[in-house]
Amino acid sequence: MHSFTTASRLNQNNLSSSDETQHVEKSSEINVDGNSFTDAYDDRVRPIMDKIDQIRSLLSTNNDGVTFPNVVVVGDQSSGKSTLLEALSLVELPKGSGIVTRCPLVLRLRRSSRRQVYRILENNKKDVLDETQLNILKYIEEETKKIAGSNKNVVDTLIELLVEDPNVRDLTVVDLPGIARNPIGDQPKDIHQQTTKLIKKFISQEGSVILCVFPANVDIATVESFTLAREVDPDGVRTIGVITKSDLATNNETLIQQLLMEKEDVFKLTLGFVAVRNRSTDERISLVEARQREKDFFQSHPVLPVVGWDCLGIEGLINRLANLYSDRVKETFPKMRNDIQKKMKEVREQLLNYPADLDTPAARLAKYHELAEFYVENMLKIRFLSSYDNKHTSMINTLHNKFSKYNDIINSFTKELFTTSYHEKVRLAIASCVGEQLPNFLPHPILKRLISDKLDQLWKITDILINECYHLVEKLLLDQNLDEHKGNVHLMKLMPAFHNIVTLYLKEKNQLAHHQLQEMIRLEKHDPYTMNHSYLEKVNEFQMNMKACEASESAAKTSSPPKIKFREDDDELMFQSARKIEQTTQEMLFSIYAYWKVLVRRFMDYTALTLRAGCDFDVCTGIKERLRYIPMERCDFVDSYLAEDAYTLRKRKQLQQTKERLEKVDAILGGRASIDTIGNYSFIDMHSFDNDSMMTLDKFEQTINTSSSTTTTTSTAAIVDTTKK
């Protein structure tokens, strides 16, 4: 890290930021007494505080995410907040009834050899305020009117003063409007919301120490400033309670108990409480005289022997605050430096993604093809891998699981052939055409019609499978979790168009798959036909086994039943379910079953191959081709998206200004100074597959299970019982 120098009014040595931090930490170990310790400690911290002061005007807490160390003073109206600040800063402040402080007043207190007050202007420039010629109190009142207007509302614009004085410690104190519960006079009706919102904005910053001010004659349980502080600092690790108007305490014992925090029924804070007695608004004594009078008051007060000076008086509070503030500065400085460097790196990377204006059609077309290639290769292909985000399985695996579910449902269609209800359906169909042909021939029209009914079942579930598979692909490709395009303005402009192209491409492929597989179903419905020998082998196997069973039944009872073997479990279930029915129906069932098995095998394989290609293997190649031809199909497409627009120009300028500002801050800190919818091209109105009401394989299977009849269950149980016998 480059070292840096700071011109210090206290003649500090030129130190690097890392040396400064080390010196601050070592200073706490110096064993000196009295003011020599204070001076040495403040002198070590001062260079870092000077740097923080320099960057305040360059940074925004909200926009840059930097937390500044502050002491934020909060309290109800008339709690003694302003007189406390006067004692801390030795600056006369506006006082009175109602809301006097209507905008945040930032007081940078710095110990110096002589007194001088400055107002802080933009870019941290300082303008001397001559206290011999200018009443600071009147100046603050006038500045408040300029900023907040003559009404009684509050605003968050800052008034900043730098106070150099031999009698102050190095602190930055923020005075906020008092909490107004109810509007008085011409105050706005929402004055309570205005004041509490402003207070929360400042005390929520983690680098701040919260000073909760309340009078000694008020029950602490009713003090709203403590309620607000607990919301942002529930453990009380950065809150100090300041008890003002100690001379009005109704019970000294209660005051002692609160300062000691030893009893269970008292309010507790990690940083404790301090009691003070400041001058009242109508007293005509100087701030120096008020400090001396406070010392005299506590010197004879019964609380002093119990709690000691650490918990009493403005000087005790100042020393406690100064030490805390110094600790905050030491903690904040390295983090602030790292945050600035991290933010600066982010801004530089964003600027790199804002290339020079593509000022010619050829340049825009070349950029389009470059981004289309990047989109497919780096944003789409990666999503088909098995672990692109360490959570999702590959698309091939997902499709395989869907095919398995598809197979299970088709198996349930097969088991329908084993039920008595289906047997009755076949018997009635055969009976309806008796006499139309010779009795020893199977009625071919009946076989064709029953096979056609099963094909309708098959197409219904295939239609669901196709839609579900393409829905999964669309969801995968249009998922916004991957953010490779973030920061690349040209790619961000094209993303809506790319998404539309992907959606359109998948819709077309979905329709093509429907046409292909529907054509397969149409061909199957012409006439049952196969070159696969397994059909005839299965039918012959059923007939042979049936003859063997009949021969065994006609033989003596002492003979053992024949051993029957089947290639598949379903074959045995089919055989057992049809054993006791008439021969014609039996033969028709065997033919339907054998042909259904052949039909299902060839159709399922073709379906799986079609969807694997359409939903995985061909997707990226197809989308890339589609993206390549879009500029040829629509000549104004590329220009409508990639021509430079006012938004991009403005954003680039803002980033450049932010970069320069952060580089200045980094140099001061001693660091390494080193869519909205855009375009007018639109596609046809397309609806996503993502629809909660869309039928899926799981929903279809659930429907089958719900609607399965008791007869089916009874028939299956009967088949099992027959098998056992």
Side-chain angles (χ1 to χ4, degrees):
M1 180 177 292
H2 299 303
S3 63
F4 59 90
T5 60
T6 301
S8 173
R9 289 180 297 276
L10 300 177
N11 299 319
Q12 294 294 316
N13 293 327
N14 293 337
L15 300 171
S16 69
S17 61
S18 59
D19 291 335
E20 289 172 353
T21 305
Q22 292 172 2
H23 281 312
V24 170
E25 292 169 349
K26 290 180 180 178
S27 68
S28 62
E29 299 173 0
I30 299 174
N31 186 15
V32 291
D33 296 325
N35 289 334
S36 60
F37 173 83
T38 301
D39 293 341
Y41 192 81
D42 288 350
D43 289 350
R44 301 296 188 188
V45 176
R46 175 63 65 81
I48 299 179
M49 296 178 69
D50 286 344
K51 294 180 184 304
I52 292 176
D53 286 343
Q54 289 179 56
I55 68 172
R56 281 180 189 271
S57 60
L58 294 172
L59 295 178
S60 164
T61 299
N62 294 332
N63 296 331
D64 296 313
V66 177
T67 300
F68 292 102
N70 290 316
V71 176
V72 182
V73 185
V74 295
D76 293 357
Q77 291 184 59
S78 305
S79 61
K81 186 167 56 66
S82 295
T83 53
L84 174 69
L85 281 165
E86 284 183 338
L88 287 172
S89 63
L90 301 179
V91 173
E92 296 278 352
L93 298 176
K95 296 177 290 296
S97 61
I99 298 181
V100 178
T101 304
R102 295 192 289 120
C103 53
L105 174 63
V106 179
L107 298 173
R108 302 184 193 174
L109 310 180
R110 301 294 181 262
R111 176 175 290 193
S112 180
S113 57
R114 67 186 184 90
R115 180 175 176 83
Q116 186 65 64
V117 180
Y118 305 85
R119 63 174 178 172
I120 307 299
L121 307 175
E122 292 183 1
N123 299 321
N124 208 45
K125 293 181 180 179
K126 294 181 288 188
D127 185 20
V128 176
L129 298 178
D130 186 353
E131 290 184 281
T132 62
Q133 304 294 327
L134 176 68
N135 186 314
I136 301 297
L137 187 152
K138 294 294 183 184
Y139 166 78
I140 295 173
E141 290 178 342
E142 290 171 1
E143 286 296 303
T144 299
K145 288 181 180 179
K146 288 180 185 178
I147 294 172
S150 57
N151 296 326
K152 296 298 183 180
N153 59 304
V154 299
V155 297
D156 58 2
T157 305
L158 305 179
I159 298 175
E160 292 191 76
L161 297 179
L162 169 62
V163 180
E164 295 178 348
D165 193 281
N167 298 305
V168 299
R169 293 287 301 275
D170 290 346
L171 293 171
T172 297
V173 184
V174 181
D175 182 24
L176 298 175
I179 301 171
R181 291 185 177 85
N182 300 300
I184 300 174
D186 57 351
Q187 290 179 350
K189 293 182 179 180
D190 64 341
I191 191 63
H192 182 262
Q193 289 85 348
Q194 286 188 28
T195 54
T196 55
K197 181 180 179 181
L198 183 62
I199 289 170
K200 287 180 180 179
K201 175 182 176 181
F202 279 86
I203 65 176
S204 61
Q205 300 171 16
E206 293 192 2
S208 63
V209 175
I210 306 169
L211 221 60
C212 282
V213 181
F214 67 101
N217 59 348
V218 171
D219 184 0
I220 191 174
T222 65
V223 178
E224 189 173 357
S225 59
F226 278 108
T227 303
L228 297 178
R230 279 199 300 268
E231 291 180 12
V232 298
D233 180 31
D235 297 326
V237 295
R238 54 187 183 90
T239 303
I240 297 178
V242 180
I243 306 172
T244 60
K245 305 179 183 180
S246 297
D247 55 319
L248 301 181
T250 56
N251 189 321
N252 289 332
E253 185 62 29
T254 302
L255 180 63
I256 292 172
Q257 289 174 1
Q258 183 59 73
L259 291 171
L260 292 176
M261 297 186 300
E262 291 178 350
K263 287 196 173 184
E264 293 184 359
D265 58 346
V266 299
F267 204 89
K268 293 180 174 61
L269 296 172
T270 302
L271 299 181
F273 289 78
V274 177
V276 298
R277 187 207 172 184
N278 300 313
R279 65 179 185 177
S280 61
T281 56
D282 56 352
E283 285 184 302
R284 302 299 180 185
I285 60 175
S286 69
L287 294 171
V288 175
E289 291 173 330
R291 279 199 182 186
Q292 185 58 50
R293 188 187 63 176
E294 181 188 53
K295 285 184 180 179
D296 296 340
F297 171 75
F298 283 119
Q299 189 71 50
S300 59
H301 199 285
V303 74
L304 177 61
V306 182
V307 302
W309 283 109
D310 287 342
C311 295
L312 299 175
I314 194 66
E315 289 187 4
L317 176 61
I318 289 172
N319 290 332
R320 185 179 298 195
L321 285 175
N323 293 335
L324 283 170
Y325 185 73
S326 298
D327 290 340
R328 296 287 179 187
V329 169
K330 290 189 296 179
E331 293 170 4
T332 302
F333 189 79
K335 182 180 183 301
M336 184 182 296
R337 192 170 52 200
N338 291 335
D339 289 344
I340 290 298
Q341 290 172 355
K342 181 179 178 182
K343 182 77 173 179
M344 190 164 56
K345 180 181 177 182
E346 292 175 357
V347 172
R348 285 171 175 168
E349 289 175 351
Q350 290 180 51
L351 272 173
L352 288 177
N353 290 322
Y354 274 76
D357 185 13
L358 303 173
D359 52 1
T360 66
R364 290 191 282 272
L365 182 61
K367 174 58 71 173
Y368 168 81
H369 286 301
E370 175 190 327
L371 294 174
E373 180 78 14
F374 176 86
Y375 174 68
V376 174
E377 296 296 325
N378 297 83
M379 298 181 65
L380 297 188
K381 278 190 176 180
I382 191 174
R383 300 182 185 221
F384 287 93
L385 301 178
S386 60
S387 58
Y388 74 86
D389 61 359
N390 296 321
K391 291 189 290 187
H392 294 80
T393 57
S394 67
M395 179 52 64
I396 283 293
N397 183 263
T398 301
L399 291 175
H400 177 75
N401 291 333
K402 291 300 174 185
F403 298 155
S404 298
K405 177 69 70 176
Y406 177 66
N407 181 67
D408 292 342
I409 294 173
I410 291 175
N411 285 340
S412 71
F413 295 160
T414 302
K415 288 180 171 52
E416 181 187 9
L417 302 176
F418 313 151
T419 64
T420 55
S421 59
Y422 191 80
H423 296 171
E424 182 64 14
K425 177 181 178 180
V426 173
R427 188 188 68 77
L428 291 175
I430 294 174
S432 66
C433 63
V434 170
E436 295 179 3
Q437 60 188 44
L438 293 175
N440 59 332
F441 286 93
L442 285 177
H444 183 76
I446 299 301
L447 176 63
K448 180 178 178 179
R449 179 162 64 83
L450 292 173
I451 290 294
S452 182
D453 290 344
K454 298 300 287 183
L455 284 169
D456 289 339
Q457 276 187 316
L458 182 59
W459 172 245
K460 184 175 182 180
I461 188 60
T462 303
D463 176 63
I464 294 172
L465 174 68
I466 297 169
N467 286 334
E468 188 170 2
C469 288
Y470 276 98
H471 162 71
L472 290 171
V473 178
E474 184 191 40
K475 185 177 180 181
L476 177 71
L477 295 184
L478 301 186
D479 183 15
Q480 299 297 313
N481 289 336
L482 295 181
D483 56 358
E484 296 92 337
H485 67 286
K486 296 296 172 58
N488 188 323
V489 173
H490 290 146
L491 186 55
M492 289 174 67
K493 288 181 178 181
L494 287 167
M495 285 303 292
F498 285 172
H499 283 175
N500 281 337
I501 291 169
V502 168
T503 302
L504 181 61
Y505 172 83
L506 293 176
K507 275 186 167 293
E508 292 175 355
K509 290 301 178 182
N510 182 309
Q511 292 172 0
L512 180 60
H514 273 84
H515 291 327
Q516 289 175 331
L517 296 175
Q518 207 163 21
E519 178 65 11
M520 285 284 294
I521 294 291
R522 188 185 71 82
L523 294 175
E524 294 285 5
K525 284 188 174 184
H526 276 167
D527 268 319
Y529 180 79
T530 180
M531 294 290 291
N532 192 329
H533 298 297
S534 65
Y535 165 74
L536 193 56
E537 290 171 357
K538 196 176 290 291
V539 171
N540 290 335
E541 184 180 75
F542 281 137
Q543 291 175 348
M544 291 173 59
N545 287 329
M546 190 60 68
K547 290 178 181 178
C549 288
E550 290 173 355
S552 174
E553 289 174 357
S554 62
K557 293 184 179 180
T558 55
S559 62
S560 59
K563 293 184 178 180
I564 302 174
K565 293 184 179 180
F566 295 94
R567 300 177 188 179
E568 302 177 49
D569 292 341
D570 282 352
D571 292 354
E572 184 174 2
L573 288 172
M574 182 72 253
F575 180 80
Q576 296 296 347
S577 68
R579 276 189 61 184
K580 302 300 183 181
I581 61 179
E582 63 273 16
Q583 183 179 356
T584 305
T585 304
Q586 188 182 84
E587 290 176 356
M588 179 65 77
L589 283 169
F590 289 156
S591 293
I592 293 172
Y593 172 80
Y595 187 73
W596 171 253
K597 280 289 189 178
V598 172
L599 183 156
V600 164
R601 285 196 182 98
R602 67 189 178 193
F603 187 82
M604 285 180 62
D605 276 346
Y606 188 77
T607 299
L609 289 172
T610 300
L611 293 178
R612 278 164 62 90
C615 295
D616 191 316
F617 301 133
D618 296 341
V619 173
C620 291
T621 303
I623 292 174
K624 184 185 288 188
E625 287 297 313
R626 182 63 55 84
L627 292 172
R628 185 178 300 165
Y629 283 106
I630 283 290
M632 291 183 269
E633 297 170 357
R634 180 69 182 270
C635 59
D636 63 339
F637 172 76
V638 173
D639 287 345
S640 68
Y641 278 92
L642 293 184
E644 192 85 315
D645 58 273
Y647 167 81
T648 304
L649 288 170
R650 184 173 65 253
K651 186 66 176 178
R652 185 189 290 113
K653 183 178 179 181
Q654 290 174 348
L655 284 172
Q656 186 61 40
Q657 291 173 343
T658 301
K659 172 179 168 290
E660 294 171 358
R661 182 167 53 82
L662 293 176
E663 286 175 346
K664 288 180 183 179
V665 172
D666 190 50
I668 292 171
L669 295 179
R672 299 174 180 83
S674 34
I675 300 191
D676 296 327
T677 304
I678 302 172
N680 53 25
Y681 183 78
S682 61
F683 292 88
I684 61 173
D685 185 26
M686 291 172 289
H687 296 287
S688 169
F689 295 130
D690 192 5
N691 188 342
D692 291 340
S693 62
M694 187 188 79
M695 179 59 74
T696 65
L697 297 177
D698 289 329
K699 290 180 181 178
F700 189 85
E701 184 180 41
Q702 186 177 6
T703 302
I704 293 175
N705 294 336
T706 303
S707 62
S708 60
S709 64
T710 308
T711 305
T712 303
T713 306
T714 306
S715 299
T716 304
I719 293 170
V720 173
D721 185 61
T722 304
T723 304
K724 290 180 179 179
K725 291 180 180 179

